[in-house]
């Protein structure tokens, strides 16, 4: 059976087979919102996150207080969010011996390949890149590290792939109740050090991938862009405030139902606020220390003109309006001009750069915009061939071929 209700709005499925009602786990009777806040902030990352909708629960008319409606990260999640056949996936947990769907044979084949082929070799890295969604994996590590999830990486590790030929492994982000300033840990805690120390499935893979200069640059630049956008305090605090205001009317009654006091709730919100305020500078310091990136950041100011005609794709984000991103000292970034339908790339505003849609920007302060123009449409087009109502023995479908 299915629940045909779009609980989580745009960008999430409108029909569900299974849902979770969570009481916030290790954040219960603390803030109630840490995990939901983390997932909300990470919606724009290339990451599998759970939809989040606070709710008030009654069971047979009896008040049960605040609970969060969440997506369940199972095979139906992969269908609803990635449009794959949910009965044709591998879904594993922790080291890979926990098999929820499919089997683990392809996963262990991949680990065997990595153990015998250093990823400093570009050929080996490209082979692994064809089996792991490396952009999403970089975002997964960034999310766990920035949110300072203390219940990871020894726990809460799941990953999946479609068993179709092109299916790549993706890791699932979930259960961040022990992060975002919980458990008495403030924004200075160096979670990146733990990720770099290895010893667990996700962190071992992270360290293997970092042997590749291409992945290291990808990771660093994606982290830099998120620190300037979705992790920026003006955005994170606004999101925190909106979520807290949404549940405020029910907090007193929920504490009354289950015990505790609202006098502890406001301090919890302040702990989260201070964590978000201070985490970005600490995160920058951790990256610089562990990757040997001394010296000041360099900045890239970019955007599209006209803004409706296209965008500039950076390592993780795309911008149309003028934006300035601080990047790590000595680390270049690849950028791509992407035209909207009806437009085409004309040139970069900086004439000293190669006038190609995709270029590498060296690590020096620079302002460069992508300039687009209206695409030239051929004056004449000829209908070259039409296929319609083919014989059922060989039916390639109905189509029309235009020649210009």
């Amino acid at each position: 059976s299915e629940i045909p209700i779009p609980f989580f709005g745009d960008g999430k499925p409108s029909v569900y087979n299974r849902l979770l009602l969570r009481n916030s786990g290790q954040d219960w009777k603390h803030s109630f919102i840490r995990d939901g806040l983390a997932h909300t902030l990470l919606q724009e990352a290339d990451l599998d996150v759970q939809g989040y909708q606070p709710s008030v629960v009654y069971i047979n008319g009896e008040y049960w207080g605040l609970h969060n409606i969440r997506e369940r990260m199972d095979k139906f999640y992969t269908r609803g969010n990635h449009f794959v056949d949910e009965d044709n996936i591998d879904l594993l947990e922790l080291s890979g011996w926990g098999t929820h769907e499919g089997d683990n044979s392809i996963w262990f084949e991949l680990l065997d390949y990595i153990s015998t082929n250093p990823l400093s070799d570009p050929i080996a890295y490209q082979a692994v890149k064809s089996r792991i969604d490396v952009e999403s994996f970089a975002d997964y590590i960034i999310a766990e590290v920035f949110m300072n999830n203390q219940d990871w990486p020894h726990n809460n590790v799941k990953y999946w792939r479609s068993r179709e030929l092109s299916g790549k492994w993706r890791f699932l982000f979930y259960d961040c109740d022990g992060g975002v300033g919980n458990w008495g840990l403030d924004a200075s805690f160096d979670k990146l050090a733990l990720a770099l120390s290895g010893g667990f499935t996700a962190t071992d893979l992270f360290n293997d991938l970092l042997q590749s200069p291409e992945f290291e640059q990808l990771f660093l630049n994606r982290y830099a862009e998120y620190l300037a956008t979705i992790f920026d305090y003006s955005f994170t605090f606004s999101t925190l405030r909106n979520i807290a205001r949404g549940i405020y009317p029910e907090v007193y009654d929920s504490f009354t139902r289950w015990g505790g006091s609202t006098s502890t709730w406001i301090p919890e919100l302040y702990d989260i606020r201070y964590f978000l305020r201070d985490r970005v500078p600490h995160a920058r310091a951790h990256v610089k220390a562990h990757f040997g990136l001394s010296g000041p950041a360099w900045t890239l100011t970019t955007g599209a003109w006209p803004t409706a005609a296209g965008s500039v794709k950076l390592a993780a984000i795309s911008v149309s309006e003028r934006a300035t991103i601080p990047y790590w000292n000595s680390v270049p970034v690849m950028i791509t001009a992407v035209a909207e339908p009806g437009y085409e790339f004309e040139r970069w505003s900086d004439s000293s750069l190669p006038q190609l849609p995709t270029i590498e920007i060296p690590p020096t302060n620079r302002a460069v915009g992508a300039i687009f123009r209206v695409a030239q449409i051929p004056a004449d087009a000829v209908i070259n061939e039409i296929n319609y109502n083919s014989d059922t023995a060989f039916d390639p479908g109905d189509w029309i071929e235009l020649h210009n």
Side-chain angles (χ1 to χ4, degrees):
S1 60
E2 295 180 335
I3 307 171
I5 300 175
F7 288 97
F8 310 111
D10 295 338
K12 281 294 185 179
S14 58
V15 175
Y16 293 90
N17 292 83
R18 299 169 179 170
L19 291 166
L20 298 177
L21 272 178
R22 295 194 74 238
N23 69 353
S24 297
Q26 292 154 331
D27 195 32
W28 184 55
K29 295 199 295 184
H30 291 244
S31 79
F32 296 102
I33 65 174
R34 281 185 168 91
D35 186 54
L37 171 65
H39 286 254
T40 302
L41 293 174
L42 291 163
Q43 284 178 338
E44 298 304 315
D46 183 5
L47 188 60
D48 287 335
V49 297
Q50 295 170 288
Y52 164 67
Q53 177 59 61
S55 68
V56 178
V57 174
Y58 290 83
I59 298 179
N60 296 326
E62 183 180 0
Y63 181 77
W64 276 59
L66 280 167
H67 287 70
N68 300 319
I69 304 174
R70 310 301 299 272
E71 288 179 280
R72 181 173 176 177
M73 286 187 147
D74 57 13
K75 67 178 186 178
F76 296 110
Y77 178 94
T78 68
R79 181 188 69 183
N81 288 274
H82 293 279
F83 309 104
V84 301
D85 179 358
E86 73 273 20
D87 293 319
N88 195 27
I89 67 167
D90 296 324
L91 174 59
L92 310 180
E93 186 168 357
L94 293 174
S95 64
W97 293 108
T99 303
H100 293 273
E101 303 289 342
D103 63 60
N104 56 20
S105 59
I106 298 300
W107 174 252
F108 285 121
E109 285 179 14
L110 175 61
L111 294 187
D112 287 344
Y113 179 86
I114 293 173
S115 68
T116 56
N117 294 272
L119 301 191
S120 54
D121 179 352
I123 295 176
Y125 174 69
Q126 292 302 319
V128 171
K129 185 179 175 181
S130 71
R131 305 185 209 179
I132 298 174
D133 188 329
V134 293
E135 290 83 7
S136 181
F137 183 73
D139 288 4
Y140 172 74
I141 297 294
I142 290 167
E144 299 284 6
V145 166
F146 182 85
M147 296 300 172
N148 197 21
N149 188 0
Q150 293 302 303
D151 207 8
W152 177 92
H154 60 285
N155 194 20
N156 296 321
V157 176
K158 290 182 182 178
Y159 40 102
W160 71 278
R161 72 168 194 114
S162 170
R163 304 186 80 174
E164 297 174 357
L165 183 62
S166 59
K168 296 183 180 182
W169 291 101
R170 290 176 62 95
F171 280 65
L172 301 169
F173 180 81
Y174 66 102
D175 198 350
C176 195
D177 304 305
V180 199
N182 207 357
W183 295 7
L185 295 172
D186 64 20
S188 67
F189 188 88
D190 187 357
K191 191 72 174 181
L192 181 59
L194 188 148
L196 290 169
S197 67
F200 301 95
T201 300
T203 56
D204 284 345
L205 179 58
F206 178 48
N207 284 273
D208 288 330
L209 287 168
L210 283 174
Q211 297 175 28
S212 164
E214 180 181 329
F215 179 80
E216 181 179 289
Q217 180 175 323
L218 174 79
F219 172 78
L220 291 172
N221 285 336
R222 292 179 79 89
Y223 205 171
E225 292 170 17
Y226 290 142
L227 289 172
T229 54
I230 62 173
F231 296 155
D232 181 74
Y233 179 60
S234 62
F235 176 71
T236 58
F237 175 60
S238 174
T239 306
L240 165 64
R241 183 173 53 190
N242 290 338
I243 292 175
R245 284 176 174 174
I247 70 168
Y248 173 74
E250 291 296 327
V251 170
Y252 177 83
D253 287 343
S254 200
F255 273 119
T256 300
R257 173 65 173 84
W258 296 110
S261 170
T262 54
S263 65
T264 64
W265 186 65
I266 296 298
E268 289 285 344
L269 298 185
Y270 273 102
D271 286 346
I272 297 172
R273 177 181 180 177
Y274 296 147
F275 176 88
L276 297 173
R277 181 195 65 188
D278 299 337
R279 189 59 170 167
V280 170
H282 282 297
R284 292 188 192 280
H286 298 157
V287 170
K288 290 176 69 174
H290 291 297
F291 287 87
L293 301 171
S294 60
W298 67 277
T299 60
L300 172 65
T301 300
T302 190
W305 190 88
T307 55
S311 61
V312 179
K313 174 70 171 66
L314 307 176
I317 66 173
S318 294
V319 296
S320 294
E321 301 285 348
R322 180 185 176 94
T324 298
I325 306 293
Y327 289 96
W328 312 106
N329 182 45
S330 77
V331 181
V333 64
M334 299 293 294
I335 68 173
T336 300
V338 181
E340 291 292 326
Y343 293 90
E344 61 186 8
F345 172 68
E346 181 178 352
R347 62 185 175 87
W348 296 105
S349 61
D350 186 338
S351 60
S352 68
L353 295 170
Q355 297 302 308
L356 300 170
T358 297
I359 57 174
E360 183 176 78
I361 302 295
T364 56
N365 294 339
R366 188 180 297 264
V368 55
I371 299 174
F372 299 90
R373 64 189 175 199
V374 175
Q376 301 299 310
I377 301 175
D380 298 310
V382 176
I383 298 176
N384 196 50
E385 193 172 356
I386 296 175
N387 187 79
Y388 171 70
N389 198 26
S390 300
D391 190 284
T392 55
F394 179 73
D395 185 3
D398 301 336
W399 49 265
I400 181 170
E401 179 181 273
L402 299 178
H403 180 76
N404 56 45

